[in-house]
């Protein structure tokens, strides 16, 4: 959760453990009412999902400044920044897999 809180700036809204043993954490970005659910269910074993189907997207004011913020946490972009033909710039970072 440290990654989501300290690096991405998300706030933990609540945490819940289901009767079958999965742990769910609900997060919210500042100035947004949308919630993100992160969950883990150790009893299920590894989940196999195509890597390009599991991502979250956030808009930042400056990828350069966010890159500096990442560096302060010992992280860097895993891909990009890349500029599209329309001038949109995007980049990716990899999140840890632990709650």
């Amino acid at each position: 959760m440290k990654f989501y809180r300290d690096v991405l700036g998300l706030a933990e809204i609540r945490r819940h453990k289901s009767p079958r043993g999965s742990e769910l954490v609900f997060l919210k970005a500042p100035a947004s009412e949308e919630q993100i659910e992160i969950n883990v269910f150790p009893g299920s074993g590894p989940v196999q999902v195509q890597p390009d189907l599991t991502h979250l997207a956030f808009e930042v004011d400056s990828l350069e400044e966010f890159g500096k913020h990442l560096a302060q946490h010992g992280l860097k972009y895993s891909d990009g920044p890349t500029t599209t033909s329309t001038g949109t710039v995007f980049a990716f970072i990899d999140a840890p897999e632990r709650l």
Side-chain angles (χ1 to χ4, degrees):
M1 292 313 306
K2 185 176 178 175
F3 171 82
Y4 295 98
R5 183 188 61 239
D6 298 347
V7 177
L8 297 183
L10 303 177
E12 184 175 322
I13 302 303
R14 65 186 164 99
R15 193 177 280 249
H16 172 75
K17 191 157 194 156
S18 77
R20 67 182 190 131
S22 60
E23 187 172 351
L24 304 103
V25 179
F26 296 86
L27 306 160
K28 185 174 99 45
S32 172
E33 293 306 313
E34 302 299 323
Q35 292 185 15
I36 298 164
E37 176 187 331
I38 306 290
N39 64 68
V40 64
F41 181 46
S44 70
V47 176
Q48 301 298 318
V49 180
Q50 280 181 239
D52 62 339
L53 294 180
T54 57
H55 74 274
L56 300 170
F58 296 94
E59 182 177 0
V60 296
D61 292 331
S62 166
L63 280 177
E64 182 178 341
E65 290 302 313
F66 189 69
K68 292 176 185 176
H69 171 74
L70 291 175
Q72 292 173 345
H73 292 278
L75 301 168
K76 62 181 180 176
Y77 291 122
S78 57
D79 188 10
T82 302
T83 304
T84 67
S85 61
T86 61
T88 300
V89 183
F90 64 92
F92 293 89
I93 56 175
D94 295 327
E97 295 293 329
R98 298 174 48 191
L99 285 174

